Amino acid sequence: MKILHLDNNHPLLLKMLKDAGFTNEENYTISKADTEEIISEYNGIVIRSRFNIDKQFLDAAKNLKFIARVGAGLESIDIDYAVKLGVKLIAAPEGNRNAVGEHSLGMLLSLFNNLNKADKEVKNGLWNREANRGIELDGKTVGIIGYGNMGKAFSRKLSGFDCEVLCYDIKENVGDDNAKQVSLKELQQQADVLSLHTPWTPLTDKMIDAKFINAFSKPFWLINTARGKSVVTEDLVSALKSGKVLGAGLDVLEFEKLSFETLFDSDNLPDSLKELFAMDNVILSPHIAGWTVESKEKLATVIAEKIIRTFKN
């Protein structure tokens, strides 16, 4: 099988596929339009998020057997049409779930202990101990929405703390020893912390809006290492101002571009984003929750193993 690699990944991916008898070709700068001109020559694609794989692209890919995304989500692919054409879709959430779990916990502990704010103040000569008094995770209730690979990884990290962990998912019977599955209503009644671990779908698009936030019984902390478009920034800023949301750790933003390589579609920042940037109780990172040295290798290994297992004769 002939595979076109459209994004640079850990060299293990190429080596494992080559050793298994696959033919690798790499082109990390080719445009979507130019790829459509040659894609009929290939049986497989390996990509991260450089461009959308839509109906037009898939129609041009006459001999395509699979699309492998080196990551967790498949939202950049027209899934329904690919499945209709018999194209196998491969993702690797197992490869970066541990990294996401650790990053989520790190953001939460940083918020609880004012670490980013205190760091800036000390570096500016301020020694504000009382203003930076933290709170403890012990005794709190953490609500997780989306209890798949990422949600489960986060709950495992929380298992060392004396806190209650609840999970909500559209699938039934996904709870385990680390998290009790409950209804969304119960989660909103009990949670002190909300952590999102959902894919971007029509159900999760703009899910965290004013109505959703106000349905929580208590003020809460928000962690989002999932997808930026699941949170309405303007509504989050309003909730942060009112105290309904006590603080937020955001690895993803509503205004990200699909490629994840740059943040905005233009140089004009939305007013809500400007306000978010100015808030001391908000921690931001550039979509790196699953982006560790270890996860790069794990993602490559998982993708290679899945391709080999499915297509090697």
Side-chain angles (χ1 to χ4, degrees), residues 81 84 136 146 211 238 244:
Y81 194 62
K84 181 180 177 181
E136 297 179 15
K211 181 179 179 182
S238 294
K244 183 67 176 182

Side-chain angles (χ1 to χ4, degrees), residues 151-205:
K152 288 178 185 292
F154 182 43
S155 71
R156 284 195 295 273
K157 303 303 173 188
L158 293 169
S159 64
F161 294 84
D162 187 14
C163 61
E164 183 178 13
V165 183
L166 307 176
C167 67
Y168 169 75
D169 197 284
I170 58 173
K171 295 181 179 179
E172 297 180 356
N173 302 315
V174 297
D176 55 22
D177 290 343
N178 295 320
K180 175 186 175 184
Q181 187 167 7
V182 297
S183 67
L184 178 59
K185 182 177 180 180
E186 183 174 347
L187 186 146
Q188 289 174 314
Q189 288 174 339
Q190 300 296 327
D192 300 293
V193 175
L194 171 63
S195 188
L196 301 181
H197 298 280
T198 48
W200 183 38
T201 71
L203 284 176
T204 64
D205 186 53

Side-chain angles (χ1 to χ4, degrees), residues 227-239:
R227 288 294 183 259
K229 293 185 186 299
S230 294
V231 176
V232 179
T233 307
E234 185 176 0
D235 291 353
L236 173 59
V237 167
S238 294

Side-chain angles (χ1 to χ4, degrees), residues 31 51 63 116 120 159 185 211 218 227 233 250 264 274 279 292:
S31 68
F51 51 70
N63 296 300
N116 283 35
K120 291 176 185 177
S159 64
K185 182 177 180 180
K211 181 179 179 182
K218 298 184 280 186
R227 288 294 183 259
T233 307
L250 307 175
F264 310 112
K274 291 178 184 177
M279 292 179 164
T292 62

Side-chain angles (χ1 to χ4, degrees), residues 102-156:
E102 290 191 6
H103 194 96
S104 302
L105 180 58
M107 281 191 144
L108 181 57
L109 293 176
S110 292
L111 285 169
F112 272 24
N113 293 283
N114 300 302
L115 293 184
N116 283 35
K117 174 176 173 286
D119 172 71
K120 291 176 185 177
E121 289 178 354
V122 172
K123 288 175 179 177
N124 285 314
L126 300 175
W127 196 256
N128 295 328
R129 296 184 68 218
E130 187 58 38
N132 287 302
R133 187 184 290 273
I135 63 171
E136 297 179 15
L137 184 51
D138 279 20
K140 304 296 188 295
T141 298
V142 179
I144 298 173
I145 296 184
Y147 204 61
N149 280 283
M150 308 303 166
K152 288 178 185 292
F154 182 43
S155 71
R156 284 195 295 273

